[in-house]
Amino acid sequence: EMVMTQSPATLSVSPGDRATLSCRASQSVSNNLAWYQQKPGQAPRLLIYGASTRATGIPARFSGSGSGTEFTLTISSLQSEDFAVYYCQQYNYWPPLTFGGGTKVEIK
Amino acid sequence: QMQLVQSGAEVKKTGSSVKVSCKASGDTFMYRNLHWVRQAPGQALEWMGWITPFNGDTNYAQKFQDRVTITGDTSMTAAYMELSSLRSEDTAMYFCAVGPLDNYFGYWGQGTLVTVSS
């Protein structure tokens, strides 16, 4: 099973600052990596697929990079609505499709 | 724009089964996979399985292989997830999600809370 490891578990950031979230795969997943945002009591929302392609309607402050085993989600200037939990998901190897454990972005 | 609406919350006894529905509006599941993902309280997302509605193919996580059945109807606008032999650890929010055949998840249902107790 492909294991996805996200770091850090919690990231404390001030509004307007840059946030950098990491996701590591136990084996290469090429660029078959997606990022999701989840707010309390809500379903996840797709942010990025193909490691770096923003989904429809996602603001340009969200960007994804990486390939192989190392991936990064960057939020260039955190807005109040960006404080949430972020998950990465690989779709290169299945079954199973696998998610990381999540990074909580909280207000510093 | 596809919208997914799931059935309501369920409270079940250990050992019983639950069946959750997911209905689409605005589009169909044609040439897409319909997935079920669950999330235990305070935990990460966990993929359970998918169905390709236009040909009926299914794929399940080994963890759930013996207990989960995912079905779809011929209209390709509804799908169902049945989980049997429920235990307390199955208490979770269950989401349906639709994505391209690449298998990421572009659309999500609102979630169905399943509570299992003795």
Side-chain angles (χ1 to χ4, degrees):
Chain A
E1 173 175 321
M2 180 68 62
V3 177
M4 307 301 292
T5 303
Q6 291 186 242
S7 61
T10 303
L11 186 62
S12 298
V13 185
S14 299
D17 284 355
R18 181 187 194 91
T20 302
L21 289 65
S22 295
C23 175
R24 174 177 292 177
S26 57
Q27 301 175 54
S28 174
V29 297
S30 185
N31 68 336
N32 295 312
L33 190 286
W35 289 94
Y36 302 87
Q37 176 193 68
Q38 187 179 33
K39 297 180 180 179
Q42 295 185 16
R45 176 176 69 146
L46 177 67
L47 298 176
I48 301 283
Y49 62 94
S52 60
T53 303
R54 274 189 304 277
T56 302
I58 301 303
R61 64 180 181 273
F62 290 92
S63 63
S65 63
S67 66
T69 62
E70 300 284 344
F71 300 89
T72 300
L73 175 70
T74 301
I75 312 170
S76 60
S77 177
L78 269 155
Q79 306 299 302
S80 57
E81 61 266 30
D82 301 335
F83 292 97
V85 180
Y86 293 82
Y87 293 97
C88 61
Q89 177 238 333
Q90 69 81 21
Y91 50 96
N92 196 63
Y93 292 105
W94 42 262
L97 299 167
T98 49
F99 294 88
T103 292
K104 181 180 181 180
V105 177
E106 65 176 24
I107 301 173
K108 187 174 183 179
Chain B
Q1 179 97 355
M2 176 178 284
Q3 290 192 318
L4 301 175
V5 178
Q6 298 181 221
S7 50
E10 302 263 13
V11 179
K12 294 291 183 180
K13 296 287 189 185
T14 53
S16 68
S17 299
V18 67
K19 190 171 186 177
V20 181
S21 69
C22 174
K23 298 187 178 180
S25 61
D27 206 341
T28 71
F29 303 141
M30 179 71 81
Y31 304 126
R32 292 175 165 144
N33 287 332
L34 185 290
H35 301 261
W36 290 90
V37 175
R38 79 177 188 180
Q39 187 172 38
Q43 301 301 307
L45 302 165
E46 182 177 34
W47 177 78
M48 300 179 69
W50 85 63
I51 185 168
T52 307
F54 79 87
N55 63 16
D57 285 351
T58 54
N59 214 314
Y60 300 126
Q62 187 171 11
K63 174 177 180 177
F64 301 104
Q65 183 81 38
D66 296 335
R67 299 196 295 136
V68 70
T69 304
I70 298 174
T71 56
D73 74 11
T74 54
S75 70
M76 287 190 286
T77 60
Y80 308 88
M81 186 280 298
E82 184 169 22
L83 187 63
S84 62
S85 302
L86 290 168
R87 34 222 195 212
S88 59
E89 311 89 89
D90 294 319
T91 293
M93 188 71 78
Y94 290 77
F95 295 101
C96 62
V98 168
L101 297 178
D102 290 355
N103 292 324
Y104 54 88
F105 313 115
Y107 301 100
W108 293 74
Q110 83 278 16
T112 296
L113 180 63
V114 176
T115 304
V116 183
S117 69
S118 55

